[in-house]
Amino acid sequence: MISAATSTPIIQLNRTSLGYRTESNAVLNDISLQFFAGDIVAVIGPNGAGKSTLLKSIVGLIRPLKGEIIVHGGRNSAHKDCVSYIPQKEAIDWNYPITVREVVMMGRFGKIPFYRRPSIEDEQIIKQAMERMDICSLANRKIRDCSGGQQQRVFLARSLAQQPHILLMDEPFNAVDIATETIILENLAIFRRQGVTALVATHDLALVSEHFEKVLLLNHQVIAFGSQSEVMTYENLQKAYGGKIPSGTKTAQ
């Protein structure tokens, strides 16, 4: 468990530009952010706003074009072992012949030396993660044969097995059933109590309005970051989405 009673950011971005080519083509320009232990943050914005780029940069898949990212005091995602990243489902090769239990076990790989088998403790952690996600009955099923909601639970179970300090989730609520949505939200609440920091990119602004206290609104820059009431105002959403604010969105008064 990570202590949430700390004034030291667990993630810090300092005058950072993020993207895939050159600084002049950056997806996110000159952003500075701080996230603390126990922060559960919804990351919102229109398509192409930079949500996925931010998550990939924090986990270390993309190096900053300018500035620095500090995670647990290490520059540019040096501490990868404490970060668990769940990409969008479209980015995963579901045809890979691997079982549900094998996927969950991957969460322990960073803690098990290559020369030894999982310990009794490792096996117990894997079992508890699968129980928490209600996927024990799927243990021997191929991941490609699972439904979209089941697949999302499997990858969250992998993250649980990893015991991360930081969890990055890219569109976890996309095309999942109500039961899976509920399990994800319940576990985010557990992560908050444990002091785990979670950034959750999502397009579902109605869900954000109902379940997230902190929100980061992006559109190639930081439009607003703070409490839901401060961020999800009509003015901020209009600035981020223009005239295309998603229908049904509740704005703060």
Side-chain angles (χ1 to χ4, degrees):
M1 181 179 294
I2 311 302
S3 174
T6 177
S7 59
T8 302
I10 195 170
I11 305 170
Q12 188 168 356
L13 289 82
N14 299 321
R15 300 296 301 273
T16 307
S17 292
L18 306 175
Y20 303 86
R21 295 180 181 175
T22 64
E23 188 178 334
S24 62
N25 295 314
V27 178
L28 287 166
N29 295 288
D30 197 31
I31 63 172
S32 295
L33 292 165
Q34 292 183 338
F35 303 100
F36 295 85
D39 279 347
I40 307 296
V41 182
V43 183
I44 63 174
N47 288 332
K51 301 185 295 296
S52 296
T53 300
L54 174 65
L55 301 189
K56 290 177 181 177
S57 299
I58 292 172
V59 78
L61 295 176
I62 303 171
R63 294 189 65 82
L65 299 172
K66 185 190 80 169
E68 61 182 0
I69 299 174
I70 299 173
V71 177
H72 267 319
R75 282 177 168 75
N76 297 330
S77 302
H79 291 273
K80 296 184 179 67
D81 59 332
C82 72
V83 183
S84 183
Y85 170 58
I86 303 178
Q88 292 186 34
K89 289 189 288 186
E90 292 79 4
I92 299 169
D93 180 5
W94 297 110
N95 291 317
Y96 194 77
I98 189 170
T99 67
V100 165
R101 189 180 184 282
E102 288 169 337
V103 172
V104 179
M105 187 180 293
M106 290 170 65
R108 303 301 301 162
F109 284 0
K111 305 177 188 299
I112 303 173
F114 73 91
Y115 52 82
R116 76 166 174 83
R117 297 172 62 84
S119 66
I120 294 176
E121 180 184 4
D122 292 321
E123 296 287 358
Q124 186 63 26
I125 290 170
I126 293 166
K127 179 182 177 183
Q128 290 173 348
M130 294 180 67
E131 289 175 343
R132 194 158 140 186
M133 289 295 104
D134 194 21
I135 56 171
C136 291
S137 62
L138 306 175
N140 297 316
R141 182 178 297 183
K142 292 289 191 295
I143 187 69
R144 65 190 176 204
D145 296 328
C146 295
S147 69
Q150 290 168 339
Q151 289 170 344
Q152 199 64 263
R153 293 193 207 185
V154 172
F155 275 83
L156 186 51
R158 184 195 65 175
S159 293
L160 292 174
Q162 185 177 338
Q163 298 180 320
H165 298 172
I166 298 165
L167 175 63
L168 310 174
M169 306 179 74
D170 200 348
E171 297 292 345
F173 302 108
N174 188 27
V176 300
D177 53 80
I178 295 298
T180 298
E181 179 181 297
T182 300
I183 286 176
I184 293 173
L185 292 169
E186 288 174 349
N187 277 276
L188 286 173
I190 293 171
F191 279 131
R192 180 172 56 246
R193 293 195 294 270
Q194 293 175 335
V196 174
T197 303
L199 305 185
V200 183
T202 180
H203 282 97
D204 193 336
L205 300 193
L207 183 143
V208 172
S209 297
E210 294 175 8
H211 297 287
F212 286 83
E213 296 177 0
K214 297 190 76 171
V215 180
L216 171 61
L217 177 59
L218 300 174
N219 193 359
H220 302 297
Q221 60 181 326
V222 176
I223 304 298
F225 177 44
S227 68
Q228 182 197 127
S229 61
E230 294 171 329
V231 173
M232 295 188 70
T233 65
Y234 179 82
E235 291 77 12
N236 285 336
L237 294 174
Q238 184 73 15
K239 186 175 180 180
Y241 291 90
K244 300 180 180 178
I245 298 176
S247 60
T249 299
K250 297 179 181 179
T251 60
Q253 300 300 315

